[in-house]
Structure formats: structure tokens, C-alpha cells
């Protein structure tokens, strides 16, 4: 049985919370090991719409959360600028919205210390020509569009620089307890297939909607309710600003521009299993209808992909799971649960709830609890420290990648034309982390995330990775088939219009020309 | 404009039907929105490759296949017409040297090195028919991003068949912008370039029977290019189809377009059929739009060869309402609820795969009672219901036999 080096803090969960914790704790001098059963940011973090919250959504219902978001928004703009596109946001009153809400919104924003500015409707329509021309009010806010993978990878790179060990594809099988205290865990290396042990002085459970499952391994009960949310990515940036309905929070009330697409979301349905959350046709139809209210003609635009994420929600006062019907009623603030006090299990702490925008603050609170547990005296410094690649504090802009790429087009051909992924970029991503799936490369490069959804580039990428020796023959065959299946999962509920034509063209390529189904084992 | 037959669509089925009619002395105009599907397809004549198991003898497998699938275009046309359709195609496309037959599928390497069954191959691919014990060299130009010879060779060598495949990459000069198929094939027209490639290939020839290259051997003069390489290497050379644009497909398009023109037919690209006029059961005219103008085409007979869902011949909106946009013909095989359109897995048959226009044995579209809706409208090719050509490997076969059946029905009417 292989034993990994003993660690002070074992962090379970490689999403924004876990990555933020690794970054914070490593900076405080703790020895940190981060594990995730898959690639980083494949849970909730990788499945939301990419909103950098202004706090507007909570201005009326939950001013505490609004204040929290507004404060963290400013901090993230300072430390993670390279991950953020400064799109700004608008809250607009459509004919379907309560006209009185806008005034309550402005009042709530003032209480929360959230910067807002009401602008003339004509100005809103000038900025966003596709917006519903019948909106009656428009309020500008500090929403932004944040790249979750860039952010998570920046945090772990930063953590690594301070000595943290980052272990994707290491799944927690069991948590070891000795005399009522957590002492370590058994992990399965999902790439190599082996089981390894690790001893830890403290374990932080940051597994998002799976925190309940992990807590149970340590003999603790945690009433986490996974709340399923469906998103649809549209093929074009129909808007360049984050657009919100100026109304009580509801389904499909936000459209976020993200890189070359825009994303509409979302829904809020309690589910039992955060691993079984495929979007239904009815949910997708709901999103298209909701989009139509903000952008007339939305439901006739080309939808690229539909997926779902599960948010982790912990009701304050811990209502048992299954009793809450609309999880939107549950608070959005995060919770740090010290299981020593609650369940009598020492050195085991859970951080759950929250939202992406407050991940840094969640990490700060969690690591404060960890330090108290380990009797380490060290203050958080993440609010002042730029993440790797955000040192120059320049926001990400969509055109910057293209400019850079145009300079090298002669010697570095494009593998993925939709997303401007070059051969060189594919090579360095592959060599950076051996043993990756094609899907992991998709997340770091946006390979196959454009209109063709991998129709052309997946073959090229697989061939190139085989050529360069990253995959052997049968790994290449499997990787390509797995990639195609994964792309299918997102497309199956948006097969209409131009995307249906794309899908049919892609099936002629994968089945007709390449006959991918019938490769030698 | 007035003509005898208006063909809507310039894919395989549209062009084959048009050539057949034009060569019989009928005045044909072909209109198409795009340039047809031929530039996307490998241009082998696939009759039946999987049913769902691998088919090695199409003629032997077809009777059971059509009785299992009575709605399939092959069942409607009748197997007895298959042979004459194939013979017609071979004669019409003689310049491209299609060889093979209905009794035995050849197994061709794909661009991944799998083996794909096909009944008739153009002569640029015949040396690539794989068999046990063959020794082939798979070659490409380093940096050409649409072909990976090592992967092809390794997969071929791992097949149950036992192909002895080696591979080589040629370090041919030229930067990344040169290495796209349309530029490469132009380069290959230069004797000096071919000479250079042949000398780079020669050191790898030992023990090799034939050389496989990606399908970049020219759009025009492709045979001359290939023969020249074969002479210099002393071995047969074969093409392996890869991602679009497909040069073998474009050659077939050029051939059919030329045959149409020589027979007096017209091809108008960039024209989209939109509406029609009818008098009872006779279609009188179709209105088409071309950039900023409209044209009305009056004809005695009309053929809809618009390619199904992949080509815009059937439009589906966000609520999964499917529509044939020109004549609003009834469609069969369209699932009712959006949830019911798809399976969870990609490589399975999807419930909507066989959706399309239902026709009778003469290719006339029918209503729910099975009665022809119009006397002089015919539907052919991928627009038809009842088939899954990309999975069955039957696309060109269906296009060909249904196109010729419709052409014959039109000629019969004329007499």
C-alpha cells in the first residue's frame, strides 16, 4: 500500500472553494494536499454560468449576501483580473416584471453598499441592441464574466508555488478515524488505478454538493441539499453585458456573456444525487422561453449546448433534505461546520454553501477554522495578493488571444478553428499534466467548445496527442470516443436549427468518414 | 424560367437524377442553395456496410435487410434495380474508374486506421482495399493536421485482419499556411514537387506493396498525379479520405457537373427554393430566391433532393417541430416529444435518425393513407425517411438508386 507524504491539511474537493483554500492555506505556511476524484473544476464550479456577482440578485431578499458579494467582487477584480472580463451588468424591468421592484432594488443596493447607477432605457438599448425594446427601467451594476477554470488553475498554481500538493483524479474512498479524531484518508488514483493512503492532521471537506457524502465517511451527518440548475449556451454573444431581470429571483433570469458564447440560466430543483443531473427537454424549453423575455428572438437563435450543475445548499437551522421544495428559499451564505463540536469528530471541518463570487471569503473563513484547529497562528493574505497571471491587473478581453495568435499563425497551425486553439497550445497543455483526458484539455484550452462541438478538432487533437506520444494507440481511440460521447451529452437537448445541422454533419464525419465506432480494440 | 424538370439540390442524388434525365434528352435545371454534399463525403459508393453487424456481401445481406426494414428506400425501390443503378454509375463516372461490385465489400482504411466497408471505389482508392497479409506504407507530410499516419498504421496493424502497416512522415518544406488540402493538391500538380516527395518516400519502400496517402492528390489531373507517383515509386498509390473538404468528393462533383453540362443541363448555385404553385395534384412552379432576386421555375416535373436534416432539407425549430420547407410535405419518423428525440448514448441509433419524407415505389411523396400527394413531384436521397445512411454506410447507394428510380418514373410519364 503506497503512502503519500503526511500533510497538515487535506482538502477534499478541487472546485473554487478547495482551490481557494489550498491557495490561502499554503500562503499561511500550511502543508496542503488537495484531492479531487476527477479533474479540477468539474463539479459545481465548472457548471455554472460564469457570473461575477455584483450582489444585485440579493439586494432585496438578502442584503447580507449582497454586501458580501459586492465586497468580494472588488477584491476579485483586484487579484484575479486576468480571469475576468469586465462586462458590467444591467438589471432591466421587462413587461413581465414587477415595476415596483426596481425601486426596492435601488434601496437594497444602497443598504448593501453595492454600486449601482440607473441609466436611461435608451442608453441600455444603445449598449445592448438586442435587448427587449419594451423594458421600462435599466440599472447598471458591477457584474462581470469570470472564467472558472482559469481562476481555479491560477489558485492551484499559486498554491503549488508555496509547496502545496495538487492531486486531481484522486478519489476519497474512506476517511480514517482513530479515537474520535480524523487521521487521514484512503484514496484511489483513478488514472493509475491504485489505492493510496495519506495521513493528515486536519481534513477540510470542500466537496460542494458531495459534502454530505464525504461527511458521512467520517460518521457525520450534514443536511446538504443539491440544487440542480440548468444552463444553455447560445452560439453567439447575443449580449455583451450581463443582463438580469429586475424582479424577485426566478428561473432563467440571467444571461451572461462568456468568451464567444452567452449562457442563460438557471433553474433550482432539489435532487438526491448530484451525479444524476442531466437537463430535460422541458428545462431547456423553459430557458429558451425565459431568454425570449430579455432578448426577443432568443428562442430562434442557435443553442450550442445544455448542461446542469448542482449547487450545495445548507439550510440555516438544518432542515432535513427533501422537505424544501424550492431551494431558492434557502440562504445563499456559506457555512463552516466544525464537526468536533457538532458530531464529536476532531480535526474534521466542512465548508459548504456559498457561491463562486465569494470563494475567496469562504476559503478565508475555512482556513481560519483550520488554523484554529491546528493551533497555527497565521492571518489570511489572499485579499491583497494577485493570483498568477493576474499580476498586471489587466482584465481579460476577447480579442487579445486572437491578436497574439495572428502573430504566430505561420508556424503554429490551428487545431481548433472555432476557439483558436493552436498546435503549440495543445502540446504545452498536454505536457504540463501527463495522463490527462481529452476532456481535461478541453477545459484548459476550450477545445471543442465552439460551434462545431469537436466535429473537426477532436480528430486533429487525438491524432496530434498520439503523434507526440502522450497517448498510445488504444488510449487515443478511447479518448476520441469518450470525447465524442461527452460532447453528445451537452448537445442532445439542443438539437434544433443550425445545431441540428452541425450535429448531422459531425455524425457524417465521426461515423461516415472516420467510422469511429469500429476501431480495433 | 421554363424547363422540363426542375431539380432542387445538387448533392449526389440531385446530380445523378439530373444527369440521367439530361442524357435522355430532357431539359433539366438544377438549383441548389450550397454546393451539395459531395465535397464532404469520401465519394466511395457505399451500398450497405453494417446491418447492424459488418456486411461483407451486400447482395447477400440485402434481402434480409429490406424485409427487416420495409420503410427503407432500398425496400421501396426494389433490389432488382440496384444492379442497373450501379452499372449506370460506373459508366457515367468511368473517368474516375469506379471498381468493385455488389457481391463483396472492400475494406478501406479510414483516416484513423479502422476498416470501413464499401462496395465500389474510385481507382484512386482501389489499391487501398485491405486484406490479410498486405504490406502497406502509410505516409503523410509532417504538419498536415488532417492526417496522422502513425495512428493509421498502428490501428491497421492491430486489426483482426493482420495488415502489415508501416508509416513515414515527410519533412516537406513550406509553412503551416501551405499545409491545407486545397493548397497541397495544387502544389502536387508540379512535377518537381512530386519528384521531391517520391525521393523522400523511396527509402521507406522496402517490402512495401502499396503506399497510402491522405486524399490530397488533386482535384483536377488527379489520375496523372497519382500515376506519376506510382511510376516513380514502382508501387500502387492509394488515397485515404479524411476530414472535409473531400477532394475525391469534389472530383465526383466536377464529373457530374460536367456530364450535366455536356448533356445540355443547367446548374444554378446559390438559389434557394422557397415556395411552390400547384393546380390540384400538379405542381406548376417553384419560386426560388437568389441574393436579392427571385426566380420562378415552371416545369413539368419537380424533384426534391434537398438532403434531409443535415442539409436544411428538413427544418426543426426549438420546439422540435419539423418541416419540409418547400412543399410542406408530411414527414414520418419524427418523435412527438422533445425528450423522445434522443438516446443517452451517442453511438446508438437516435429515435429521430430515420425521419424524413415518405414516398411510394416511384419516389412520389405520399400522405398518411399512402396516396401520392402530387403526380409530378418526386423526392430522393437523404431527404427520405427510413434510413440511417451514416451508420449503415449506405448513403451513396440510397442517393443513386432513388435518384435513378425517380428519373425513370419521370421518363415513363413523358411517354
Amino acid at each position: 500500500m503506497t503512502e503519500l507524504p503526511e500533510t497538515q491539511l487535506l482538502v477534499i474537493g478541487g472546485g473554487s472553494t478547495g482551490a481557494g483554500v489550498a491557495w490561502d492555506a499554503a500562503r499561511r505556511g500550511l502543508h496542503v494536499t488537495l484531492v479531487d476524484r476527477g479533474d479540477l473544476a468539474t463539479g459545481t464550479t465548472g457548471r455554472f454560468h460564469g457570473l461575477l456577482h455584483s450582489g444585485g440578485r440579493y439586494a432585496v431578499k438578502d442584503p447580507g449576501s449582497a454586501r458580501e458579494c459586492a465586497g468580494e467582487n472588488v477584491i476579485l477584480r483586484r487579484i484575479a483580473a486576468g480571469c475576468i472580463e469586465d462586462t458590467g451588468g444591467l438589471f432591466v424591468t421587462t413587461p413581465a416584471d414587477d415595476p415596483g421592484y426596481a425601486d426596492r432594488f435601488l434601496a437594497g443596493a444602497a443598504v448593501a453598499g453595492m454600486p449601482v447607477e440607473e441609466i436611461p432605457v435608451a442608453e441600455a438599448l444603445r449598449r445592448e441592441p438586442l435587448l427587449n425594446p419594451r423594458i421600462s427601467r435599466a440599472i447598471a451594476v458591477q457584474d462581470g464574466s469570470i472564467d472558472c477554470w482559469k481562476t481555479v488553475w491560477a489558485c492551484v498554481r499559486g498554491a503549488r508555488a508555496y509547496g502545496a500538493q495538487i492531486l486531481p483524479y484522486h478519489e476519497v474512498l474512506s476517511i480514517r478515524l482513530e479515537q474520535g479524531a480524523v487521521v487521514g484518508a484512503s484514496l484511489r488514483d483513478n488514472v493509475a488505478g491504485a489505492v493510496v493512503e495519506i495521513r493528515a492532521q486536519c481534513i477540510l471537506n470542500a466537496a460542494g454538493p458531495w459534502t454530505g457524502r464525504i461527511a458521512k465517511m467520517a460518521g457525520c451527518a450534514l443536511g446538504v441539499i443539491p440544487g440542480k440548475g440548468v444552463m444553455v449556451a447560445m452560439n453567439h454573444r447575443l449580449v455583451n453585458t450581463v443582463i438580469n431581470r429586475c424582479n424577485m429571483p426566478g428561473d432563467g433570469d440571467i444571461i451572461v456573456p462568456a468568451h464567444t458564447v452567452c449562457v442563460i440560466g438557471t433553474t433550482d430543483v432539489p435532487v438526491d444525487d448530484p451525479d444524476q443531473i442531466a437537463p430535460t427537454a422541458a428545462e431547456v424549453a423553459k430557458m429558451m422561453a425565459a431568454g425570449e423575455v430579455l432578448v426577443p428572438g432568443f428562442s430562434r437563435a442557435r443553442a450550442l449546448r445544455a448542461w446542469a450543475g448542482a449547487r450545495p445548499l445548507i439550510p440555516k437551522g438544518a432542515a432535513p433534505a427533501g422537505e424544501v421544495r424550492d431551494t431558492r428559499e434557502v440562504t445563499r451564505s456559506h457555512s463552516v461546520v466544525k464537526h468536533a463540536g457538532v458530531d464529536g469528530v476532531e480535526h474534521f471541518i466542512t465548508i459548504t454553501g456559498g457561491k463562486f463570487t465569494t470563494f475567496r471569503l469562504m476559503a478565508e473563513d475555512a482556513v481560519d477554522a483550520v488554523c484554529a484547529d491546528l493551533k497555527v497562528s497565521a492571518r489570511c493574505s489572499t485579499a491583497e495578493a494577485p493570483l498568477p497571471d493576474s499580476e498586471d491587473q489587466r482584465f481579460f478581453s476577447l480579442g487579445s488571444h486572437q491578436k497574439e495568435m495572428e502573430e504566430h499563425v505561420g508556424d503554429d497551425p490551428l487545431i481548433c478553428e472555432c476557439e483558436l486553439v493552436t498546435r503549440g497550445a495543445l502540446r504545452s497543455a498536454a505536457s504540463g499534466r501527463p495522463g490527462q483526458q481529452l476532456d481535461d484539455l478541453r477545459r484548459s484550452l476550450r477545445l471543442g467548445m465552439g460551434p462545431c462541438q469537436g466535429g473537426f478538432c477532436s480528430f486533429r487533437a487525438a491524432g496530434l496527442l498520439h503523434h507526440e506520444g502522450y497517448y498510445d494507440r488504444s488510449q487515443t481511440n478511447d479518448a476520441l470516443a469518450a470525447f465524442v460521447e461527452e460532447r453528445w451529452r451537452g448537445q442532445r437537448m439542443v438539437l434544433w436549427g443550425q445545431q441540428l445541422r452541425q450535429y448531422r454533419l459531425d455524425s457524417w464525419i465521426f461515423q461516415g468518414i472516420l467510422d469511429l465506432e469500429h476501431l480495433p480494440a | 424560367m421554363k424547363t422540363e424538370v426542375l431539380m432542387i439540390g445538387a448533392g449526389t442524388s440531385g446530380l445523378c437524377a439530373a444527369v440521367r434525365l439530361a442524357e435522355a434528352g430532357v431539359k433539366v435545371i438544377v438549383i441548389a442553395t450550397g454546393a451539395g454534399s459531395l465535397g464532404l463525403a469520401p465519394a466511395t459508393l457505399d451500398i450497405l456496410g453494417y446491418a447492424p453487424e459488418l456486411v461483407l456481401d451486400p447482395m447477400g445481406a440485402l434481402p434480409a435487410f429490406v424485409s427487416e426494414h420495409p420503410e427503407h428506400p432500398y425496400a421501396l425501390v426494389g433490389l432488382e434495380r440496384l444492379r442497373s443503378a450501379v452499372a449506370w454509375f460506373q459508366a457515367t463516372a468511368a473517368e474516375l474508374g469506379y471498381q468493385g461490385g455488389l457481391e463483396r465489400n472492400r475494406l478501406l482504411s479510414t483516416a484513423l486506421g479502422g476498416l470501413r466497408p464499401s462496395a465500389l471505389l474510385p481507382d484512386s482508392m482501389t489499391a487501398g482495399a485491405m486484406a490479410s497479409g498486405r504490406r502497406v506504407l502509410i505516409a503523410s507530410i509532417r504538419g498536415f493536421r488532417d492526417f496522422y499516419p502513425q495512428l493509421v498504421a498502428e490501428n491497421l496493424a492491430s486489426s483482426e485482419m493482420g495488415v502489415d502497416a508501416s508509416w513515414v512522415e515527410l519533412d516537406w518544406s513550406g509553412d503551416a499556411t501551405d499545409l491545407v488540402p486545397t493548397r497541397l493538391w495544387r502544389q502536387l500538380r508540379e512535377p518537381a514537387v512530386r519528384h521531391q516527395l517520391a525521393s523522400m518516400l523511396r527509402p521507406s519502400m522496402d517490402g512495401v506493396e502499396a503506399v497510402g496517402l491522405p486524399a490530397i492528390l488533386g482535384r483536377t489531373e488527379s489520375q496523372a498525379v497519382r500515376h506519376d507517383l506510382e511510376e516513380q515509386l514502382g508501387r500502387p498509390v492509394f488515397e485515404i479520405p479524411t476530414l472535409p473538404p473531400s477532394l475525391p468528393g469534389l472530383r465526383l462533383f466536377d464529373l457530374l457537373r460536367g456530364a450535366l453540362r455536356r448533356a445540355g443541363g443547367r446548374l444554378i448555385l446559390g438559389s434557394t427554393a422557397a415556395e411552390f404553385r400547384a393546380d390540384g395534384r400538379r405542381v406548376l412552379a417553384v419560386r426560388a430566391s437568389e441574393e436579392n432576386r427571385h426566380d420562378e421555375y415552371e416545369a413539368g416535373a419537380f424533384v426534391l433532393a434537398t438532403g434531409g436534416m443535415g442539409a436544411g432539407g428538413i427544418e426543426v425549430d426549438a420546439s422540435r417541430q419539423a418541416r419540409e420547407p418547400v412543399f410542406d410535405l408530411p414527414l414520418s419518423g419524427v418523435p412527438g416529444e422533445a425528450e423522445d428525440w434522443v438516446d443517452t448514448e451517442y453511438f446508438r441509433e437516435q429515435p429521430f435518425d430515420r425521419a424524413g419524407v415518405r414516398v411510394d415505389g416511384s419516389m412520389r411523396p405520399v400522405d398518411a393513407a399512402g396516396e401520392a400527394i402530387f403526380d409530378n413531384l418526386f423526392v430522393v436521397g437523404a431527404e427520405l425517411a427510413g434510413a440511417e445512411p451514416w451508420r449503415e454506410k449506405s448513403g451513396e447507394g440510397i442517393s443513386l438508386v432513388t435518384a435513378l428510380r425517380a428519373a425513370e418514373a419521370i421518363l415513363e410519364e413523358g411517354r
Side-chain angles (χ1 to χ4, degrees), chain A residues 293-514:
Chain A
V293 175
L294 285 168
V295 174
F298 191 90
S299 59
R300 289 187 302 281
R302 176 171 170 173
L304 202 56
R305 193 161 184 86
W307 68 94
R311 322 159 183 77
L313 303 168
I314 271 203
K316 286 240 145 81
E323 279 198 10
V324 177
R325 262 196 285 127
D326 176 0
T327 50
R328 194 163 272 117
E329 297 310 311
V330 167
T331 185
R332 279 296 205 287
S333 301
H334 55 272
S335 299
V336 175
V337 181
K338 298 174 194 175
H339 293 282
V342 176
D343 302 276
V345 175
E346 303 274 333
H347 307 305
F348 185 56
I349 299 169
T350 291
I351 168 82
T352 192
K355 62 197 78 58
F356 188 92
T357 300
T358 58
F359 84 89
R360 191 215 62 84
L361 180 61
M362 290 168 69
E364 177 172 344
D365 289 349
V367 181
D368 283 348
V370 168
C371 284
D373 186 71
L374 292 174
K375 301 191 171 35
V376 166
S377 172
R379 270 181 53 252
C380 176
S381 60
T382 57
E384 292 85 45
L387 283 167
D389 292 340
S390 287
E391 293 90 348
D392 60 6
Q393 303 205 309
R394 286 207 351 235
F395 291 122
F396 169 80
S397 85
L398 201 55
S400 53
H401 180 42
Q402 171 144 6
K403 191 155 176 282
E404 189 189 300
M405 197 227 73
E406 275 171 357
E407 284 162 19
H408 302 288
V409 71
D411 37 57
D412 196 6
L414 288 176
I415 295 301
C416 168
E417 283 138 332
C418 298
E419 295 291 325
L420 301 184
V421 181
T422 63
R423 188 172 60 199
L426 180 63
R427 269 194 195 125
S428 44
S431 59
R433 294 194 300 138
Q436 289 179 83
Q437 300 302 305
L438 252 186
D439 207 45
D440 301 344
L441 292 166
R442 167 183 73 81
R443 280 184 280 275
S444 48
L445 298 169
R446 298 189 63 79
L447 182 85
M449 288 175 80
C452 89
Q453 290 292 294
F456 285 76
C457 60
S458 31
F459 165 73
R460 291 182 188 139
L464 197 63
L465 292 170
H466 175 265
H467 178 265
E468 309 267 316
Y470 296 111
Y471 291 155
D472 66 25
R473 178 195 67 85
S474 78
Q475 284 170 327
T476 307
N477 296 348
D478 291 344
L480 191 47
F483 190 77
V484 166
E485 277 287 4
E486 194 283 331
R487 295 282 83 195
W488 168 241
R489 277 198 286 277
Q491 284 194 79
R492 52 193 289 276
M493 282 307 166
V494 296
L495 290 183
W496 67 76
Q498 291 292 91
Q499 200 55 32
L500 174 60
R501 286 187 67 169
Q502 182 73 61
Y503 160 77
R504 182 54 76 231
L505 170 62
D506 290 352
S507 47
W508 277 109
I509 292 174
F510 290 126
Q511 296 172 301
I513 298 174
L514 298 177

Side-chain angles (χ1 to χ4, degrees), chain B residues 92-264:
Chain B
T92 304
E95 208 183 287
L96 292 173
Y98 277 83
Q99 294 165 46
L102 293 166
E103 275 68 34
R104 187 168 67 86
N105 272 335
R106 272 70 179 165
L107 293 172
L108 285 182
S109 178
T110 66
L112 285 172
L115 293 169
R116 191 174 70 85
S118 186
L120 278 93
L121 324 174
D123 62 7
S124 68
M125 297 184 201
T126 41
M130 293 297 164
S132 192
R134 290 207 69 198
R135 289 166 297 150
V136 297
L137 173 73
I138 309 297
S140 186
I141 293 166
R142 188 185 304 280
F144 178 54
R145 64 186 180 170
D146 289 344
F147 195 78
Y148 299 91
Q150 183 182 355
L151 181 60
V152 173
E154 285 183 15
N155 270 323
L156 280 175
S158 306
S159 77
E160 278 173 13
M161 185 174 273
V163 174
D164 184 339
S166 53
W167 65 278
V168 71
E169 265 194 334
L170 309 179
D171 267 313
W172 184 60
S173 61
D175 73 23
T177 54
D178 280 334
L179 295 175
V180 291
T182 42
R183 289 219 196 161
L184 270 178
W185 74 255
R186 287 192 173 95
Q187 298 272 8
L188 283 167
R189 291 200 297 202
E190 304 299 319
V193 169
R194 292 198 296 271
H195 186 75
Q196 193 190 8
L197 286 174
S199 34
M200 287 182 182
L201 281 167
R202 229 171 262 119
S204 309
M205 285 295 120
D206 260 351
V208 163
E209 295 169 3
V211 181
L213 292 168
I216 49 168
L217 297 181
R219 179 167 183 170
T220 54
E221 304 153 28
S222 61
Q223 262 130 341
V225 164
R226 198 179 79 254
H227 288 144
D228 184 29
L229 281 172
E230 288 179 330
E231 251 189 60
Q232 295 193 51
L233 294 171
R235 308 280 193 294
V237 168
F238 61 93
E239 285 190 313
I240 299 175
T242 181
L243 297 180
S246 164
L247 286 170
L250 291 170
R251 286 175 216 143
L252 181 56
F253 176 79
D254 292 342
L255 182 148
L256 290 172
R257 180 175 53 177
L260 179 66
R261 200 185 310 124
R262 281 190 301 277

Side-chain angles (χ1 to χ4, degrees), chain A residues 147-223:
Chain A
D147 185 321
C148 55
W149 292 289
K150 269 207 172 117
T151 310
V152 165
W153 281 103
C155 287
V156 307
R157 282 211 317 278
R160 263 205 203 109
Y162 282 86
Q165 243 218 321
I166 310 293
L167 299 173
Y169 288 107
H170 281 71
E171 182 165 358
V172 174
L173 296 176
S174 61
I175 292 180
R176 290 225 314 283
L177 294 129
E178 278 168 21
Q179 282 145 4
V182 149
V183 296
S186 293
L187 312 169
R188 181 176 55 224
D189 176 344
N190 281 330
V191 171
V195 175
V196 297
E197 299 293 322
I198 184 167
R199 289 189 73 83
Q201 293 171 25
C202 177
I203 294 184
L204 180 76
N205 175 13
W210 294 272
T211 44
R213 200 183 283 182
I214 298 293
K216 202 164 165 203
M217 288 182 190
C220 304
L222 200 65

Side-chain angles (χ1 to χ4, degrees), chain B residues 255-389:
Chain B
L255 182 148
L256 290 172
R257 180 175 53 177
L260 179 66
R261 200 185 310 124
R262 281 190 301 277
R266 276 190 72 183
L267 172 62
I268 301 174
L269 298 182
S271 177
T272 302
E275 292 158 346
F276 72 106
R277 262 192 311 118
D279 180 11
R281 288 166 53 118
R282 278 204 82 75
V283 178
L284 298 176
V286 161
R287 202 140 193 265
S289 38
E290 230 180 290
E291 290 197 345
N292 295 322
R293 38 179 272 218
H294 303 281
D295 267 305
E296 210 189 50
Y297 296 89
E298 288 180 3
F302 299 79
V303 183
L304 189 67
T306 44
M309 284 179 183
I314 294 171
E315 291 172 350
V316 179
D317 67 21
S319 57
R320 307 311 191 284
Q321 294 305 304
R323 214 184 139 250
E324 184 279 296
V326 183
F327 299 96
D328 204 7
L329 294 171
L331 299 171
S332 85
V334 180
E337 296 300 316
E339 289 285 344
D340 299 331
W341 272 61
V342 290
D343 196 318
T344 47
E345 285 178 34
Y346 177 78
F347 287 107
R348 296 216 200 114
E349 174 167 347
Q350 304 301 327
F352 74 96
D353 277 347
R354 296 179 192 265
V357 177
R358 250 181 87 217
V359 295
D360 62 18
S362 66
M363 301 295 109
R364 288 179 171 92
V366 297
D367 60 23
E371 294 297 313
I373 299 169
F374 294 105
D375 292 329
N376 63 341
L377 175 63
F378 302 83
V379 182
V380 298
E383 184 74 358
L384 295 171
E388 270 196 301

